[in-house]
Amino acid sequence: FPINITFKSTNPFGWPQIVVSVYGPDFFGNDVVRGYGAVHVPFTPGRHTRTIAMFVPESTSRLQKFTSWFTGRRPEFTDPKVVAQGEGREVTRVRSQGFVTISFNVM
């Protein structure tokens, strides 16, 4: 999807990131999260390709895993800032879930 954005900054601290949330149907046809990922937007001119490692939150116990599978309500983040920031994520259990490749054309 083409995105046209203009940024101006005096330093790269807090440089913009793109947060990707991928959803898809499960075995029962419920729309569930397939993965989350984030990447910083490059700031040098040219064509850039970035590969984003995707991850998905997991339930902490077997009972929660069974309940979420049975009801079709899998764990997911409600705030996309959780994906972009590392703060507080060290206590979240996640599982790797593939990769997404993004191409940037920066002018």
Side-chain angles (χ1 to χ4, degrees):
F1 301 101
I3 300 172
N4 185 14
I5 302 172
T6 303
F7 294 107
K8 183 178 178 182
S9 177
T10 57
N11 63 8
F13 178 76
W15 192 256
Q17 297 182 50
I18 290 184
V19 175
V20 178
S21 302
V22 179
Y23 290 85
D26 66 356
F27 183 73
F28 300 110
N30 299 318
D31 200 27
V32 296
V33 65
R34 293 292 184 187
Y36 295 106
V39 66
H40 286 277
V41 176
F43 55 88
T44 57
R47 182 173 179 85
H48 305 276
T49 302
R50 299 286 187 261
T51 301
I52 305 171
M54 304 298 284
F55 60 90
V56 63
E58 279 197 329
S59 299
T60 55
S61 71
R62 290 185 191 263
L63 178 63
Q64 286 177 335
K65 284 182 185 179
F66 177 74
T67 305
S68 67
W69 176 82
F70 187 71
T71 61
R73 303 258 319 150
R74 308 272 170 84
E76 59 182 84
F77 297 127
T78 56
D79 187 8
K81 291 180 183 178
V82 173
V83 178
Q85 298 172 346
E87 189 175 315
R89 268 199 0 218
E90 65 273 359
V91 296
T92 306
R93 183 178 290 189
V94 295
R95 175 175 38 94
S96 294
Q97 193 70 17
F99 298 92
V100 170
T101 303
I102 289 186
S103 296
F104 296 96
N105 291 312
V106 179
M107 297 190 319

